[in-house]
Amino acid sequence: MDPKQFHRRLESMLDRASGPGGVKAFAERLMPSLIEEFGPALGITYAKLYRLRDGAPSHVKSWGGSPAVDKTVAGLFQNASPELPWADRTDDGTLALLPLGEDGWMMALGFDGNHGNIDAPRALALASPIAHAVHQHLRRRELEDLLEQARAIQMSLLPPTPSFGDFDIAAVSLPARVVGGDVYDMQLLDQDTLAISVADAAGHGLPAALQARDVVTGLRMGAERDLKITRVIERLNRVIHQSGLTSRFVSLVFGELELNGTLTYINAGHPPPLLLTDAGLQELSVGGGLLGPQPDSFYKRGFAHVDRGAALLLYTDGALEHGMTAGDAFGVERLGQWLTEWREGSARDALEDLVTRLRHHGKNAPFEDDVTLVLIRRPRVS
């Protein structure tokens, strides 16, 4: 069999064998296919599944016949575990033993000794790439499962949109990968105050997601203890600085919005939120530097007012920079123009339109960075 064709067929076979269940269920889908598709070409006549328990292999299931090789396999482990993959001649032809994931699972393949004169070295040469491909596939699936769990954890941190006075609030977070470093949070501190935050941890993937999770946890703990906003941010900055994660830099906007429209906020190195009022467009930039680089950073409070008819957009730089690789980033000017156009519309409809515009601007290419958007509108009194 042509090597390229062999590997293509093997990868396709492994993909088809993927599905629910553990290694045993995976093996039960894979091993019959190995015999059916590779048997005639490679001389594979049977396959057997074993599991190592207390140092001794236990037979689990067989396909394509069941020659008496169990004693041969057991003998390999009497004194010490052999290095796998392993192959040797037996009375029933040539036998190869391959590792199958973790927890002692093993796969035995039997080769017809008269088929193309397949001796032990030849059997080992055929079994080794199968063992390697299976190992890589199971490892990749394990990582995908972990990422999916991380995504579930991250999505569980994103709160439902709260009901707060006459404000119209909507939010969306779109990771560039399975999990991302963006996060938003909205928590009622009391009947009259809503805490709002948008954060962006450096990097992508799991490390950034873990860092973003810690930011949300730290902010919620600070709010529960009724700490002053500056103390919460300064303490969080020290925690991030001392963390062992590689992505120790986080940009953050944290604000406390009151029912009367008063907004107290701190911008820690984050793209300035845009506040549109009858007076025009205002960028909320008061605060300090990124969280993490300097443990003793000082942060100032900024003040703004969300009047009736006003709209406040919080976002991450993934929205600003989308399209940059093609030489035309979406940019803050386009964000401001969009906000002006949607000043009187529904917050949810407005964000859906903004995501559509971002995708269209990037010619429907995947987002280069995570994109998080929070829109807060305060309708006029009719």
Side-chain angles (χ1 to χ4, degrees), residues 60 72 75 83 89 94 105 121 139 145 148 165 168 178 195 243 268 271 289 310-311 353 357 368 380:
V60 178
T72 302
E83 182 178 351
R89 287 274 194 176
T94 303
W105 289 99
R139 179 59 178 161
D145 290 343
E148 190 56 41
D168 180 16
V178 177
S243 72
D353 178 72
R357 293 193 191 195
E368 301 95 333
R380 299 182 189 274

Side-chain angles (χ1 to χ4, degrees), residues 142-291:
E142 180 183 357
L143 291 174
E144 289 171 351
D145 290 343
L146 288 173
L147 284 173
E148 190 56 41
Q149 293 175 33
R151 175 175 172 80
I153 293 172
Q154 185 177 33
M155 296 305 292
S156 71
L157 289 173
L158 301 178
T161 302
S163 176
F164 184 65
D166 59 356
F167 291 92
D168 180 16
I169 304 173
V172 64
S173 188
L174 305 170
R177 299 182 183 177
V178 177
V179 290
D182 281 9
V183 69
Y184 68 84
D185 196 34
M186 289 176 275
Q187 300 292 322
L188 285 170
L189 302 183
D190 54 48
Q191 291 183 344
D192 299 327
T193 311
L194 176 68
I196 308 160
S197 57
V198 171
D200 182 2
H204 306 282
L206 190 56
L210 292 173
Q211 189 76 84
R213 177 206 61 185
D214 291 344
V215 169
V216 171
T217 303
L219 290 173
R220 289 180 181 177
M221 290 177 62
E224 289 175 359
R225 295 175 183 176
D226 199 24
L227 298 176
K228 291 184 178 180
I229 184 174
T230 51
R231 289 191 60 193
V232 172
I233 302 304
E234 288 169 359
R235 179 173 295 183
L236 184 59
N237 175 61
R238 290 192 294 270
V239 170
I240 294 174
H241 177 80
Q242 295 168 2
S243 72
L245 293 175
T246 55
S247 55
R248 294 190 299 175
F249 311 115
V250 179
S251 70
L252 166 72
V253 169
F254 177 76
E256 294 179 356
L257 177 64
E258 299 178 15
L259 279 176
N260 62 10
T262 299
L263 176 68
T264 305
Y265 72 93
I266 289 180
N267 186 329
H270 197 81
L274 300 178
L275 175 61
L276 180 65
T277 67
D278 290 338
L281 199 62
Q282 177 185 356
E283 294 188 356
L284 306 185
S285 57
V286 177
L290 288 167
L291 301 178

Side-chain angles (χ1 to χ4, degrees), residues 174-177 318-319 322 355 358-359 364-371:
L174 305 170
R177 299 182 183 177
H322 189 53
V355 171
L358 286 169
R359 294 191 187 280
N364 293 319
F367 288 118
E368 301 95 333
D369 195 3
D370 310 322
V371 174

